[in-house]
Amino acid sequence: MAEHLLQQTLSPEMAVMAEYYEQGMTPPTQAEAAYSRYNRLAVKGILPGGDALDELVKIEVARLGESVLAADGSVLRAGALELRAVAAFAGAGLVARDEAMASLTRLGNPVAIDRLDVAINDAMAARDYSSALATPRRGINPVLAHRLGIVPNRGLTPSEVAFLLNGQRADGRVIAGKQIQAGTQSLNQIFGLKGDQKPNQEQLEHMLSGRTANGEVLPEIAATAAVKRLETALDSKKRELSAEERKNILSGRLADGRVLSDRAYMTLLEASKSRIGYIDLTFSAPKSLSVAWAFAPTNAERAMMHQAHSDAIESVMGIIEKEIGRARMGKGGKDGYEPGSIGWVSFDHYAARPTVAVVTRDEQGCEATELHSVIGSDGRVPGDMQVHTHVAVFNVVQTESGRVGGLDLAQLDGRIHEWGALYQAYLADNLRRHGVEITLDSRTEMARLAAVPERVAAHFSKRTVSGTEAAQAYGDALTTHTAQGSTVTEHIHAMPSGSRLVTAFGAYTSGSRHREQSFIVTSEGAERAEIVGRRPLGDRREITASDVLANVTRNLSRQDEKESAVSLIERAADLRRGTIQTVQAAFQRIEERKMAQDRATYLPERLEHGRIMRVLESRLPALVERLRRHSERAAQMIRSGTALVERLTELTMAKRAMRITEGEYWQRLAERASKVPEQTQVLGQTQRGKLRL
């Protein structure tokens, strides 16, 4: 990884311009760089000779071929690269001049002695622009710099970078005060499995009993931990294996009985945990800025754009430091965290290595994207300008109290894109301060220099143009998306997994690449399996060739629609409109039924009644018609009966009213009768009074 970060593709002219604003740091000479890379292989300061030296020269030539250009920007030939590699070894004192001449002769590139001397002098004086300058953090905490063995005012050598990325000091010693977490071995290593062969039943029995695959006893503590790891890897979620789980594991399956391919099974056993020495954060400038940087008329303009890029990175890294620069207190951070400062080394790269993305699928159907560097007939396809910086953050946190801990890597989860957006915002702000007009690229959501047309930026994107063309020239079998720009006499569109993953857009691309004829090859088994999956259970109809062809046609004509954010908001508003009132009205009816001690809903009965009616309509049409006629007659009888009941009710009410009237008559008559004696008595008393008078 250190070698990858140190590599860059930059013409000598651009490299000198880059040095203009590289914080006053001067790259090492070619001889110094070679000594830093290969001194560890020397015995008493001298590299081994003969075939071993020739192999080292080939390794250096391969590295230079990725990152060195001629003065005019063209690609160097193999002979020139071999001479430069051998001269750098000789200039560093790793190889004697006579051995250097002999190595060139063995490699089929003999040169004159005076030409070798000139190359050696150049290697001792010329700067090495084949490597990106490893720049320590500006303003790094002096205590942390001393602890890591970093000299802040100079660049790091390749060996120093390698040690730091490995979690050590720049000189290779252990970092004082830092607790080193031991990495874990894979289960293959612990149980002594050899090769990539899946263990058999006997070996699995040994492993589950805490022994190696061949039956040797492991130490008790190590055996307990290894068995638990094995059970967990094979998807056992219980504290102890059940008889069924043990039977499944011994038969070569997972604990729950699932079957894995041999490759997937061995991947579980080969997994291990390594110590984390650093994390790599990459900040890539927009293509428009890279183009403007490359074609800037003056060094001052070029330096201004690069400084805006560097300052944006420094601003974002200050925010990141507050998030991940926390040393854990106690085991696993159970006692909290203590903030501290972190250190990093940055590698500025100025060109993009042309690659092509190839989508592959494993045995379980999981997709993975692989990036392959494109190699042309001359060795390397030239890359386009692409200003980007790798920031390697050391897994060390220095607190004010003097404690040393590791990065809080849990804070990285879900934050990478957020920090990338912050970088774009800071970059746009820095450029606007210098009067550069910045707009937002709607496609990439990155800052874009308005002065650089989009077609110009697209022209200098060989990752998607030249890289794809070179990949097409490299092989005959291409993915659907890779084949978009190709035109051939005959074209074969092969779909080994069936057509279910191909839409109309991919089908159009694959079906329009030919001049004369095109063929479609698919898996009949996959097509039949898809048809069976769409049919209801118990459907035993035969799948014919027409069904298979119709399924392929259906898939290749499918057009997936990507919904925009505006339409999503509109659809959400339509769904939300009237929802509250509808829900309230529905619950009101349910509550009323409950208060009346009735059932909350009769929906199941209604659904059952509807289902029965549909069955009757489909299977007994005559019975349905007869039932309808009888229902009409029954309805007529019910209506007549209802009228009769209503008439009887009226008569009953009238009779009751008559009874009430008769009762009132006799009551009034009785009242009158009771009043007659009273009146007679009063009259008698009046007459007696008159007689007395």
Short mmCIF file of all heavy atoms in Angstrom, two decimals, residues 473-521:
data_model
loop_
_atom_site.label_atom_id
_atom_site.label_comp_id
_atom_site.label_asym_id
_atom_site.label_seq_id
_atom_site.Cartn_x
_atom_site.Cartn_y
_atom_site.Cartn_z
N ALA A 473 -10.14 -3.78 -26.46
CA ALA A 473 -9.10 -4.33 -27.33
C ALA A 473 -8.38 -5.49 -26.67
O ALA A 473 -7.78 -6.32 -27.34
CB ALA A 473 -8.10 -3.24 -27.68
N TYR A 474 -8.44 -5.53 -25.34
CA TYR A 474 -7.71 -6.56 -24.61
C TYR A 474 -8.39 -7.92 -24.71
O TYR A 474 -7.74 -8.95 -24.82
CB TYR A 474 -7.59 -6.13 -23.14
CG TYR A 474 -6.83 -7.12 -22.29
CD1 TYR A 474 -5.44 -7.18 -22.33
CD2 TYR A 474 -7.51 -7.98 -21.44
CE1 TYR A 474 -4.76 -8.07 -21.55
CE2 TYR A 474 -6.83 -8.88 -20.65
CZ TYR A 474 -5.44 -8.92 -20.71
OH TYR A 474 -4.77 -9.80 -19.93
N GLY A 475 -9.71 -7.95 -24.67
CA GLY A 475 -10.39 -9.23 -24.67
C GLY A 475 -11.61 -9.22 -25.54
O GLY A 475 -12.09 -8.18 -25.97
N ASP A 476 -12.13 -10.42 -25.83
CA ASP A 476 -13.30 -10.55 -26.68
C ASP A 476 -14.59 -10.56 -25.88
O ASP A 476 -15.64 -10.20 -26.39
CB ASP A 476 -13.21 -11.84 -27.50
CG ASP A 476 -12.03 -11.81 -28.45
OD1 ASP A 476 -11.68 -10.71 -28.92
OD2 ASP A 476 -11.45 -12.88 -28.70
N ALA A 477 -14.55 -10.98 -24.62
CA ALA A 477 -15.75 -11.07 -23.80
C ALA A 477 -15.88 -9.80 -22.97
O ALA A 477 -14.99 -9.46 -22.21
CB ALA A 477 -15.69 -12.29 -22.88
N LEU A 478 -16.97 -9.07 -23.15
CA LEU A 478 -17.19 -7.81 -22.47
C LEU A 478 -18.52 -7.84 -21.74
O LEU A 478 -19.43 -8.59 -22.11
CB LEU A 478 -17.20 -6.64 -23.47
CG LEU A 478 -15.99 -6.50 -24.40
CD1 LEU A 478 -16.22 -5.38 -25.39
CD2 LEU A 478 -14.73 -6.22 -23.60
N THR A 479 -18.63 -7.03 -20.70
CA THR A 479 -19.92 -6.88 -20.06
C THR A 479 -20.82 -6.01 -20.94
O THR A 479 -20.36 -5.34 -21.86
CB THR A 479 -19.77 -6.23 -18.68
OG1 THR A 479 -19.24 -4.91 -18.84
CG2 THR A 479 -18.83 -7.04 -17.81
N THR A 480 -22.10 -6.00 -20.63
CA THR A 480 -23.04 -5.22 -21.43
C THR A 480 -22.67 -3.75 -21.45
O THR A 480 -22.68 -3.09 -22.50
CB THR A 480 -24.47 -5.40 -20.87
OG1 THR A 480 -24.82 -6.77 -20.96
CG2 THR A 480 -25.47 -4.57 -21.65
N HIS A 481 -22.34 -3.19 -20.29
CA HIS A 481 -22.04 -1.77 -20.22
C HIS A 481 -20.69 -1.45 -20.87
O HIS A 481 -20.52 -0.38 -21.46
CB HIS A 481 -22.05 -1.30 -18.77
CG HIS A 481 -23.38 -1.53 -18.10
ND1 HIS A 481 -24.50 -0.83 -18.43
CD2 HIS A 481 -23.75 -2.42 -17.14
CE1 HIS A 481 -25.52 -1.25 -17.69
NE2 HIS A 481 -25.09 -2.21 -16.91
N THR A 482 -19.73 -2.36 -20.75
CA THR A 482 -18.44 -2.13 -21.40
C THR A 482 -18.58 -2.11 -22.91
O THR A 482 -17.85 -1.41 -23.61
CB THR A 482 -17.44 -3.23 -20.97
OG1 THR A 482 -17.39 -3.28 -19.55
CG2 THR A 482 -16.06 -2.95 -21.52
N ALA A 483 -19.52 -2.85 -23.46
CA ALA A 483 -19.68 -2.98 -24.90
C ALA A 483 -20.44 -1.84 -25.54
O ALA A 483 -20.71 -1.87 -26.73
CB ALA A 483 -20.40 -4.30 -25.21
N GLN A 484 -20.79 -0.81 -24.78
CA GLN A 484 -21.62 0.24 -25.34
C GLN A 484 -20.97 0.95 -26.52
O GLN A 484 -21.65 1.36 -27.44
CB GLN A 484 -21.96 1.26 -24.24
CG GLN A 484 -22.97 0.74 -23.24
CD GLN A 484 -23.43 1.83 -22.29
OE1 GLN A 484 -23.14 2.99 -22.49
NE2 GLN A 484 -24.15 1.43 -21.27
N GLY A 485 -19.66 1.13 -26.47
CA GLY A 485 -19.01 1.87 -27.55
C GLY A 485 -18.44 1.01 -28.65
O GLY A 485 -17.74 1.53 -29.52
N SER A 486 -18.70 -0.27 -28.65
CA SER A 486 -18.09 -1.18 -29.63
C SER A 486 -19.05 -1.44 -30.79
O SER A 486 -20.27 -1.35 -30.65
CB SER A 486 -17.70 -2.50 -28.97
OG SER A 486 -18.86 -3.17 -28.52
N THR A 487 -18.47 -1.75 -31.94
CA THR A 487 -19.24 -2.18 -33.11
C THR A 487 -18.49 -3.34 -33.75
O THR A 487 -17.32 -3.20 -34.11
CB THR A 487 -19.39 -1.03 -34.12
OG1 THR A 487 -20.03 0.07 -33.47
CG2 THR A 487 -20.22 -1.47 -35.31
N VAL A 488 -19.16 -4.46 -33.91
CA VAL A 488 -18.52 -5.66 -34.43
C VAL A 488 -19.38 -6.24 -35.54
O VAL A 488 -20.54 -5.87 -35.72
CB VAL A 488 -18.32 -6.72 -33.32
CG1 VAL A 488 -17.32 -6.23 -32.29
CG2 VAL A 488 -19.64 -7.05 -32.65
N THR A 489 -18.79 -7.17 -36.29
CA THR A 489 -19.55 -7.80 -37.37
C THR A 489 -20.63 -8.71 -36.81
O THR A 489 -21.79 -8.65 -37.23
CB THR A 489 -18.60 -8.61 -38.27
OG1 THR A 489 -17.59 -7.73 -38.78
CG2 THR A 489 -19.36 -9.22 -39.45
N GLU A 490 -20.25 -9.56 -35.87
CA GLU A 490 -21.20 -10.44 -35.21
C GLU A 490 -21.10 -10.23 -33.70
O GLU A 490 -20.02 -9.96 -33.17
CB GLU A 490 -20.92 -11.91 -35.55
CG GLU A 490 -21.17 -12.26 -37.00
CD GLU A 490 -20.93 -13.73 -37.26
OE1 GLU A 490 -20.37 -14.40 -36.36
OE2 GLU A 490 -21.30 -14.22 -38.34
N HIS A 491 -22.23 -10.36 -33.05
CA HIS A 491 -22.26 -10.11 -31.61
C HIS A 491 -23.07 -11.20 -30.93
O HIS A 491 -24.14 -11.59 -31.41
CB HIS A 491 -22.89 -8.74 -31.32
CG HIS A 491 -22.93 -8.40 -29.86
ND1 HIS A 491 -24.00 -8.69 -29.06
CD2 HIS A 491 -22.01 -7.80 -29.06
CE1 HIS A 491 -23.76 -8.29 -27.83
NE2 HIS A 491 -22.56 -7.74 -27.79
N ILE A 492 -22.56 -11.71 -29.81
CA ILE A 492 -23.25 -12.73 -29.02
C ILE A 492 -23.54 -12.15 -27.65
O ILE A 492 -22.62 -11.74 -26.93
CB ILE A 492 -22.40 -14.01 -28.89
CG1 ILE A 492 -22.11 -14.60 -30.27
CG2 ILE A 492 -23.13 -15.04 -28.03
CD1 ILE A 492 -21.19 -15.80 -30.22
N HIS A 493 -24.81 -12.11 -27.29
CA HIS A 493 -25.22 -11.64 -25.97
C HIS A 493 -25.52 -12.86 -25.11
O HIS A 493 -26.56 -13.50 -25.26
CB HIS A 493 -26.46 -10.74 -26.07
CG HIS A 493 -26.87 -10.16 -24.75
ND1 HIS A 493 -28.11 -9.61 -24.53
CD2 HIS A 493 -26.21 -10.06 -23.56
CE1 HIS A 493 -28.19 -9.19 -23.28
NE2 HIS A 493 -27.05 -9.46 -22.68
N ALA A 494 -24.58 -13.20 -24.23
CA ALA A 494 -24.71 -14.40 -23.40
C ALA A 494 -25.22 -14.01 -22.02
O ALA A 494 -24.72 -13.07 -21.39
CB ALA A 494 -23.36 -15.11 -23.28
N MET A 495 -26.23 -14.75 -21.55
CA MET A 495 -26.81 -14.52 -20.23
C MET A 495 -26.80 -15.84 -19.46
O MET A 495 -27.80 -16.57 -19.43
CB MET A 495 -28.23 -13.97 -20.37
CG MET A 495 -28.30 -12.62 -21.06
SD MET A 495 -29.99 -12.05 -21.36
CE MET A 495 -30.46 -13.14 -22.70
N PRO A 496 -25.67 -16.20 -18.85
CA PRO A 496 -25.58 -17.51 -18.17
C PRO A 496 -26.56 -17.66 -17.02
O PRO A 496 -26.96 -18.77 -16.69
CB PRO A 496 -24.12 -17.53 -17.67
CG PRO A 496 -23.41 -16.50 -18.48
CD PRO A 496 -24.41 -15.46 -18.81
N SER A 497 -26.95 -16.56 -16.38
CA SER A 497 -27.87 -16.62 -15.25
C SER A 497 -29.31 -16.31 -15.66
O SER A 497 -30.15 -16.07 -14.80
CB SER A 497 -27.43 -15.64 -14.16
OG SER A 497 -26.15 -15.95 -13.69
N GLY A 498 -29.59 -16.32 -16.93
CA GLY A 498 -30.93 -16.00 -17.38
C GLY A 498 -31.09 -14.53 -17.67
O GLY A 498 -30.18 -13.71 -17.45
N SER A 499 -32.26 -14.15 -18.15
CA SER A 499 -32.51 -12.77 -18.57
C SER A 499 -33.15 -11.92 -17.49
O SER A 499 -33.48 -10.76 -17.75
CB SER A 499 -33.42 -12.77 -19.80
OG SER A 499 -34.66 -13.41 -19.50
N ARG A 500 -33.32 -12.45 -16.29
CA ARG A 500 -34.06 -11.71 -15.27
C ARG A 500 -33.31 -10.47 -14.80
O ARG A 500 -33.93 -9.54 -14.26
CB ARG A 500 -34.38 -12.61 -14.08
CG ARG A 500 -33.16 -13.12 -13.35
CD ARG A 500 -33.51 -14.12 -12.26
NE ARG A 500 -32.35 -14.61 -11.56
CZ ARG A 500 -31.81 -14.01 -10.51
NH1 ARG A 500 -32.34 -12.91 -10.05
NH2 ARG A 500 -30.74 -14.51 -9.93
N LEU A 501 -31.99 -10.42 -14.96
CA LEU A 501 -31.20 -9.26 -14.52
C LEU A 501 -30.98 -8.25 -15.63
O LEU A 501 -30.31 -7.23 -15.41
CB LEU A 501 -29.85 -9.72 -13.97
CG LEU A 501 -29.89 -10.66 -12.76
CD1 LEU A 501 -28.48 -11.07 -12.36
CD2 LEU A 501 -30.59 -9.97 -11.59
N VAL A 502 -31.51 -8.49 -16.81
CA VAL A 502 -31.30 -7.60 -17.96
C VAL A 502 -32.59 -6.84 -18.23
O VAL A 502 -33.66 -7.44 -18.34
CB VAL A 502 -30.88 -8.40 -19.21
CG1 VAL A 502 -30.61 -7.45 -20.37
CG2 VAL A 502 -29.64 -9.24 -18.91
N THR A 503 -32.48 -5.52 -18.34
CA THR A 503 -33.63 -4.69 -18.65
C THR A 503 -33.58 -4.27 -20.11
O THR A 503 -32.67 -4.66 -20.86
CB THR A 503 -33.66 -3.45 -17.75
OG1 THR A 503 -32.49 -2.66 -18.02
CG2 THR A 503 -33.67 -3.85 -16.29
N ALA A 504 -34.55 -3.46 -20.51
CA ALA A 504 -34.61 -3.02 -21.91
C ALA A 504 -33.40 -2.17 -22.28
O ALA A 504 -32.94 -2.19 -23.43
CB ALA A 504 -35.90 -2.23 -22.14
N PHE A 505 -32.86 -1.43 -21.30
CA PHE A 505 -31.72 -0.58 -21.60
C PHE A 505 -30.48 -1.41 -21.92
O PHE A 505 -29.76 -1.14 -22.88
CB PHE A 505 -31.45 0.35 -20.41
CG PHE A 505 -32.66 1.13 -19.97
CD1 PHE A 505 -33.31 0.82 -18.79
CD2 PHE A 505 -33.17 2.15 -20.76
CE1 PHE A 505 -34.43 1.52 -18.38
CE2 PHE A 505 -34.29 2.85 -20.36
CZ PHE A 505 -34.93 2.54 -19.18
N GLY A 506 -30.22 -2.43 -21.10
CA GLY A 506 -29.10 -3.31 -21.40
C GLY A 506 -29.33 -4.15 -22.63
O GLY A 506 -28.40 -4.42 -23.40
N ALA A 507 -30.58 -4.56 -22.87
CA ALA A 507 -30.89 -5.36 -24.05
C ALA A 507 -30.68 -4.56 -25.33
O ALA A 507 -30.19 -5.08 -26.34
CB ALA A 507 -32.33 -5.86 -23.98
N TYR A 508 -31.02 -3.28 -25.29
CA TYR A 508 -30.80 -2.43 -26.46
C TYR A 508 -29.31 -2.29 -26.75
O TYR A 508 -28.87 -2.37 -27.90
CB TYR A 508 -31.42 -1.05 -26.25
CG TYR A 508 -31.04 -0.07 -27.33
CD1 TYR A 508 -31.65 -0.12 -28.58
CD2 TYR A 508 -30.05 0.89 -27.10
CE1 TYR A 508 -31.28 0.77 -29.58
CE2 TYR A 508 -29.68 1.77 -28.09
CZ TYR A 508 -30.30 1.72 -29.33
OH TYR A 508 -29.92 2.59 -30.31
N THR A 509 -28.53 -2.08 -25.67
CA THR A 509 -27.08 -1.95 -25.87
C THR A 509 -26.49 -3.21 -26.49
O THR A 509 -25.71 -3.15 -27.45
CB THR A 509 -26.41 -1.66 -24.52
OG1 THR A 509 -26.93 -0.45 -23.99
CG2 THR A 509 -24.91 -1.53 -24.69
N SER A 510 -26.87 -4.37 -25.96
CA SER A 510 -26.31 -5.62 -26.46
C SER A 510 -26.86 -5.98 -27.84
O SER A 510 -26.18 -6.66 -28.61
CB SER A 510 -26.62 -6.75 -25.47
OG SER A 510 -26.03 -6.49 -24.22
N GLY A 511 -28.06 -5.54 -28.14
CA GLY A 511 -28.67 -5.91 -29.41
C GLY A 511 -28.39 -4.96 -30.54
O GLY A 511 -28.95 -5.11 -31.64
N SER A 512 -27.55 -3.96 -30.32
CA SER A 512 -27.28 -2.98 -31.37
C SER A 512 -25.79 -2.76 -31.59
O SER A 512 -25.37 -1.70 -32.02
CB SER A 512 -27.95 -1.65 -31.01
OG SER A 512 -27.48 -1.17 -29.77
N ARG A 513 -24.97 -3.78 -31.27
CA ARG A 513 -23.52 -3.65 -31.42
C ARG A 513 -23.00 -4.30 -32.70
O ARG A 513 -21.81 -4.27 -32.94
CB ARG A 513 -22.80 -4.30 -30.22
CG ARG A 513 -23.14 -3.76 -28.86
CD ARG A 513 -22.86 -2.29 -28.72
NE ARG A 513 -24.02 -1.49 -29.00
CZ ARG A 513 -24.01 -0.20 -29.28
NH1 ARG A 513 -22.85 0.42 -29.38
NH2 ARG A 513 -25.12 0.45 -29.51
N HIS A 514 -23.86 -4.87 -33.53
CA HIS A 514 -23.40 -5.68 -34.66
C HIS A 514 -23.66 -4.96 -35.98
O HIS A 514 -24.53 -4.10 -36.10
CB HIS A 514 -24.14 -7.02 -34.67
CG HIS A 514 -25.63 -6.86 -34.76
ND1 HIS A 514 -26.39 -6.48 -33.68
CD2 HIS A 514 -26.49 -7.00 -35.81
CE1 HIS A 514 -27.66 -6.41 -34.05
NE2 HIS A 514 -27.75 -6.72 -35.33
N ARG A 515 -22.87 -5.38 -36.99
CA ARG A 515 -23.10 -4.89 -38.35
C ARG A 515 -23.96 -5.86 -39.14
O ARG A 515 -24.75 -5.44 -39.98
CB ARG A 515 -21.75 -4.72 -39.07
CG ARG A 515 -20.84 -3.65 -38.48
CD ARG A 515 -19.65 -3.42 -39.40
NE ARG A 515 -18.72 -2.46 -38.83
CZ ARG A 515 -17.64 -2.77 -38.14
NH1 ARG A 515 -17.39 -4.07 -37.90
NH2 ARG A 515 -16.83 -1.86 -37.67
N GLU A 516 -23.78 -7.15 -38.91
CA GLU A 516 -24.48 -8.14 -39.74
C GLU A 516 -25.49 -8.95 -38.95
O GLU A 516 -26.66 -9.01 -39.32
CB GLU A 516 -23.45 -9.07 -40.40
CG GLU A 516 -22.52 -8.34 -41.37
CD GLU A 516 -21.54 -9.29 -42.02
OE1 GLU A 516 -21.60 -10.51 -41.73
OE2 GLU A 516 -20.69 -8.82 -42.82
N GLN A 517 -25.08 -9.59 -37.85
CA GLN A 517 -26.01 -10.42 -37.12
C GLN A 517 -25.64 -10.47 -35.64
O GLN A 517 -24.49 -10.23 -35.27
CB GLN A 517 -26.04 -11.84 -37.69
CG GLN A 517 -24.70 -12.53 -37.75
CD GLN A 517 -24.78 -13.89 -38.42
OE1 GLN A 517 -25.87 -14.44 -38.56
NE2 GLN A 517 -23.65 -14.45 -38.79
N SER A 518 -26.67 -10.75 -34.82
CA SER A 518 -26.50 -10.81 -33.38
C SER A 518 -27.20 -12.06 -32.85
O SER A 518 -28.23 -12.47 -33.38
CB SER A 518 -27.07 -9.55 -32.71
OG SER A 518 -26.96 -9.64 -31.32
N PHE A 519 -26.63 -12.66 -31.80
CA PHE A 519 -27.19 -13.87 -31.21
C PHE A 519 -27.45 -13.62 -29.73
O PHE A 519 -26.71 -12.89 -29.07
CB PHE A 519 -26.22 -15.05 -31.37
CG PHE A 519 -25.84 -15.34 -32.79
CD1 PHE A 519 -24.71 -14.74 -33.36
CD2 PHE A 519 -26.60 -16.20 -33.56
CE1 PHE A 519 -24.35 -15.01 -34.67
CE2 PHE A 519 -26.24 -16.47 -34.87
CZ PHE A 519 -25.12 -15.87 -35.43
N ILE A 520 -28.50 -14.25 -29.22
CA ILE A 520 -28.82 -14.19 -27.79
C ILE A 520 -28.75 -15.61 -27.25
O ILE A 520 -29.43 -16.51 -27.74
CB ILE A 520 -30.21 -13.59 -27.54
CG1 ILE A 520 -30.26 -12.14 -28.01
CG2 ILE A 520 -30.58 -13.68 -26.07
CD1 ILE A 520 -31.62 -11.49 -27.82
N VAL A 521 -27.93 -15.80 -26.23
CA VAL A 521 -27.78 -17.10 -25.59
C VAL A 521 -28.16 -16.94 -24.12
O VAL A 521 -27.64 -16.07 -23.43
CB VAL A 521 -26.33 -17.62 -25.70
CG1 VAL A 521 -26.20 -18.98 -25.02
CG2 VAL A 521 -25.90 -17.70 -27.16
#
